[in-house]
Amino acid sequence: MYLSIKRILDFTLASILSILLSPILLCIVIAIKLESRGPVFFKQKRIGKHKEYFMIYKFRTMRVDTPADMPTHLLEYPERYITKTGKILRRTSLDELPQLINIVKGEMSFVGPRPALWNQYDLMEQRDLYDANSVLPGLTGWAQINGRDELEIPLKAKLDGEYISKQSFLFDCRCLIGTFFSVIKADGYAEGRKKKR
């Protein structure tokens, strides 16, 4: 029953939040434009439901000369590329707010497996084992509140599979509440490879 109305709930909530958060969104747009050249939004090809491609939207947090199609936590020295405004946006996850557009368009949900980069074949292969590529990707998810960037791919896929098996309104609420506290504490947040000592 819940899955049949989840899309309606996603669309309604995303539309309302887009209006309510518009003053904050405008302030972020101004801050990005004042600090560095380049577009306000960052668009990137991601894997959606049934492995179909879509363009994800984020606020741009890095310089325009940043290497493309590489997860930021895999960059050796990401601090070279992240702007001052971007650092704040990333740590607070405010850079993800433009994904409300993706949710309104029906390309994402509020809760689900985080959308993989188009070239993260290993993650997609592991998710196939749990049927985790069969649902809309989420703004947040079960794996996000259980390790985020620090998770190894097999464990991340397993957690995505757990989400698939437990999907419900209450479980989605649990993920959203957990995300709120994870963002506050910056749990699992990582930028760049750990340096060798």
Side-chain angles (χ1 to χ4, degrees):
M1 176 63 181
Y2 171 60
L3 296 182
S4 64
I5 64 171
K6 185 175 180 179
R7 171 63 192 145
I8 297 173
L9 293 175
D10 281 336
F11 178 84
T12 303
L13 183 57
S15 299
I16 293 172
L17 284 176
S18 296
I19 296 171
L20 293 179
L21 296 176
S22 56
I24 295 175
L25 299 176
L26 179 58
C27 289
I28 293 174
V29 167
I30 293 172
I32 292 172
K33 292 302 291 183
L34 288 177
E35 182 177 0
S36 63
R37 67 181 180 87
V40 169
F41 295 109
F42 169 73
K43 295 189 294 185
Q44 190 177 56
K45 186 164 72 172
R46 295 291 182 106
I47 301 297
K49 186 177 180 179
H50 301 312
K51 299 182 183 178
E52 294 182 357
Y53 295 132
F54 74 99
M55 299 301 292
I56 197 172
Y57 299 102
K58 295 187 177 187
F59 280 123
R60 182 176 59 82
T61 60
M62 308 184 85
R63 301 198 324 247
V64 293
D65 60 342
T66 303
D69 294 327
M70 178 181 289
T72 310
H73 65 278
L74 293 183
L75 290 172
E76 189 169 1
Y77 298 105
E79 62 275 6
R80 294 179 178 176
Y81 303 103
I82 300 174
T83 63
K84 293 178 181 178
T85 300
K87 187 174 182 179
I88 297 171
L89 294 178
R90 296 172 75 88
R91 183 162 290 278
T92 58
S93 294
L94 289 174
D95 62 314
E96 310 284 358
L97 286 179
Q99 284 158 53
L100 291 172
I101 299 171
N102 293 116
I103 295 174
V104 169
K105 292 172 66 177
E107 297 166 332
M108 290 179 62
S109 176
F110 274 99
V111 184
R114 279 296 293 166
L117 282 167
W118 66 271
N119 57 2
Q120 287 184 293
Y121 305 113
D122 48 355
L123 177 56
M124 287 182 279
E125 183 177 330
Q126 288 290 315
R127 282 178 171 173
D128 274 336
L129 300 176
Y130 304 98
D131 201 30
N133 290 310
S134 65
V135 299
L136 286 175
L139 181 64
T140 188
W142 186 231
Q144 287 297 101
I145 62 174
N146 284 283
R148 199 172 173 181
D149 296 330
E150 295 179 344
L151 294 174
E152 296 293 331
I153 284 176
L155 178 54
K156 182 181 292 187
K158 182 179 180 181
L159 288 168
D160 289 334
E162 285 183 20
Y163 171 75
I164 300 301
S165 65
K166 296 178 180 179
Q167 270 190 104
S168 68
F169 177 73
L170 290 178
F171 195 64
D172 277 3
C173 290
R174 180 179 176 183
C175 289
L176 290 170
I177 293 170
T179 298
F180 175 77
F181 288 107
S182 292
V183 168
I184 291 176
K185 296 185 292 185
D187 284 346
Y189 175 77
E191 293 287 22
R193 298 187 180 96
K194 293 181 179 178
K195 311 297 186 293
K196 294 181 178 179
R197 298 185 182 277

